[in-house]
Amino acid sequence: MTKKRIFSGMQPTNNLHLGNYLGALKNWVDLQKQGDECIFCVVDLHAVTVPQEPDKLAQATREIAAAYIAAGIDPEKAIIFPQSAVAAHSQLMWLLATMSQMGKLERMTQFKDKAGKNTERVGLGLFAYPVLMAADILAYKATHVPVGEDQKQHLELAREIASTFNTRYKVEHFPQPEPQILGEATRVMSLKDGTKKMSKSDESDLSRINLTDDAEKIAAKIKRAQTDSAPLPISVEELKDRAGADNLVTIYASLMGRSKSDVLKEFGGQPWSVFKPELAEIAVRHLSPITERMSDLLAHPDKIDRILKDGAEQADIIARPILRETMDIMGFWRA
Ligand code: AQP
């Protein structure tokens, strides 16, 4: 059996939240433990598809790297690096852009959400975001990509782009990267509105639990989280049409590594005033060691910079020959 190569990334756009953690980062840590080759990128080129403060971007990149390590990614076992430090990402993106269809990019839900009605004035980078994501993955011939549910559509496009390349040049050059959408919390919802995704860019801080929130803040946010007047149901089916309730049960199940039906066996029939403090306690128990480790790491930015620099060198060693091979297949001049 060929070895898996796992690739994924997060944008240094703001503090990471519980959705990023449960939907992606926690699963990365589990995958790393299985001994496969893991490459975790801080996708800063993706971040600038919306304007970023130049004096904050580098620090935000360090913070995301610190969050990876604090959550359990071991830089001795996994490659951690900033996307912008490996030129192959942007170079391969251009090559892949030549075989990506505008019509398909226009149908991407994330683009439609972020562009809103303003598609005429929106930047080309935001439109081409999924092509850069395809390049991120294919630059390493990654076989598996652990992401949250919201990235599934982009992954499908990356698979199509890989096929288009292989078919056009009659080669088996790029593998078909498999999305890995794992665990109970593949789509954590806003604490204020159970029908909206928990997101870094939500204007209200009360909508999300940040990895940097202290115990008091976490408890206060969970206390105010949207539910309804009925107590917790006894079966998962009864969570249908109760988005806020479903979200809190999902978060609890995911943090505890249990199924939702198991959680409802314990709490079914109980009021939210019993469940919410329990949820707050386990959220704090899981997140506070990560927050603490993160702030210890951030007290030594030189160490994080060294990890990122080493990671970029290792990533470049993998990506550069794959890019060259891609260019050779396409017939580009070489000395
Ligand atoms: N709410 C979520 N539930 C489960 N998984 C989620 N992810 C994001 N939000 C949720 C997963 O986290 C990984 C990294 O995401 P990202 O940093 O690339 O940005 P994003 O998906 O755009 O996250 P946000 O919070 O929604 O950021 P903004 O608001 O800036 O766009 C991905 O694997 C993603 O699936």
Side-chain angles (χ1 to χ4, degrees):
M1 200 175 77
T2 49
K3 215 176 165 219
K4 284 185 191 169
R5 178 175 281 163
I6 289 157
F7 178 94
S8 200
M10 298 206 186
Q11 301 182 73
T13 39
N14 208 337
N15 279 328
L16 294 186
H17 53 69
L18 194 63
N20 299 131
Y21 177 66
L22 296 177
L25 190 47
K26 185 169 173 283
N27 299 326
W28 300 2
V29 175
D30 294 340
L31 291 167
Q32 176 196 258
K33 285 187 193 141
Q34 292 169 17
D36 292 308
E37 188 180 3
C38 290
I39 306 172
F40 297 123
C41 185
V42 182
V43 290
D44 51 359
L45 295 174
H46 281 284
V48 297
T49 54
V50 294
Q52 300 295 329
E53 298 272 352
D55 56 344
K56 294 202 178 124
L57 186 58
Q59 182 57 16
T61 300
R62 286 186 196 102
E63 284 171 13
I64 299 294
Y68 290 0
I69 300 164
I73 301 298
D74 179 354
E76 296 287 322
K77 293 188 184 139
I79 299 176
I80 301 174
F81 72 104
Q83 185 185 26
S84 60
V86 177
H89 291 250
S90 326
Q91 292 172 338
L92 183 60
M93 182 210 163
W94 180 256
L95 305 181
L96 300 180
T98 63
M99 50 201 89
S100 304
Q101 292 175 8
M102 304 262 293
K104 289 196 174 147
L105 291 170
E106 267 164 11
R107 286 198 284 279
M108 294 291 118
T109 316
Q110 182 173 295
F111 172 70
K112 287 197 271 186
D113 287 350
K114 291 203 169 176
K117 291 199 178 73
N118 202 9
T119 47
E120 284 298 310
R121 305 192 67 187
V122 85
L124 177 61
L126 195 61
F127 186 66
Y129 184 113
V131 185
L132 179 57
M133 184 165 154
D136 298 337
I137 298 162
L138 299 176
Y140 301 90
K141 293 192 175 178
T143 58
H144 293 77
V145 186
V147 283
E149 176 82 40
D150 60 326
Q151 293 298 328
K152 195 171 169 207
Q153 197 185 26
H154 289 169
L155 242 308
E156 276 161 12
L157 189 73
R159 287 165 64 88
E160 277 187 43
I161 294 172
S163 286
T164 304
F165 183 95
N166 290 348
T167 308
R168 183 174 296 182
Y169 295 101
K170 301 185 178 60
V171 286
E172 279 306 315
H173 178 55
F174 290 124
Q176 283 280 290
E178 287 290 334
Q180 290 190 295
I181 298 171
L182 305 167
E184 284 282 3
T186 56
R187 190 174 176 83
V188 177
M189 309 309 276
S190 157
L191 297 180
K192 289 189 72 185
D193 177 353
T195 63
K196 262 173 64 185
K197 187 182 86 132
M198 185 178 283
S199 166
K200 295 184 206 129
S201 53
D202 194 313
E203 276 169 21
S204 168
D205 191 56
L206 288 176
S207 69
R208 63 185 162 258
I209 293 175
N210 304 302
L211 293 196
T212 48
D213 285 346
D214 60 21
E216 219 174 299
K217 249 194 190 161
I218 293 175
K221 285 179 179 179
I222 291 177
K223 196 170 174 196
R224 292 179 66 177
Q226 182 199 42
T227 47
D228 46 43
S229 52
L232 276 92
I234 51 172
S235 72
V236 176
E237 294 72 57
E238 290 170 81
L239 283 174
K240 201 174 158 272
D241 303 324
R242 293 181 66 186
D246 191 7
N247 192 32
L248 296 192
V249 174
T250 302
I251 293 173
Y252 187 101
S254 177
L255 283 169
M256 295 299 279
R258 289 166 64 182
S259 67
K260 287 200 273 186
S261 69
D262 194 31
V263 173
L264 292 179
K265 261 186 214 141
E266 184 182 341
F267 289 99
Q270 303 259 23
W272 293 100
S273 57
V274 170
F275 182 78
K276 282 183 169 180
E278 293 275 343
L279 174 58
E281 198 194 308
I282 62 143
V284 170
R285 206 186 320 140
H286 274 79
L287 299 185
S288 63
I290 299 178
T291 313
E292 245 169 68
R293 280 196 292 273
M294 243 179 101
S295 64
D296 289 349
L297 285 159
L298 287 167
H300 304 283
D302 50 321
K303 274 194 197 159
I304 299 176
D305 286 347
R306 211 170 315 126
I307 290 168
L308 289 172
K309 188 168 175 288
D310 287 353
E313 281 166 13
Q314 292 174 59
D316 190 61
I317 288 171
I318 303 172
R320 193 186 285 256
I322 294 175
L323 173 69
R324 187 60 251 182
E325 202 190 335
T326 310
M327 293 174 73
D328 287 346
I329 292 168
M330 293 177 76
F332 282 96
W333 174 90
R334 72 184 297 173

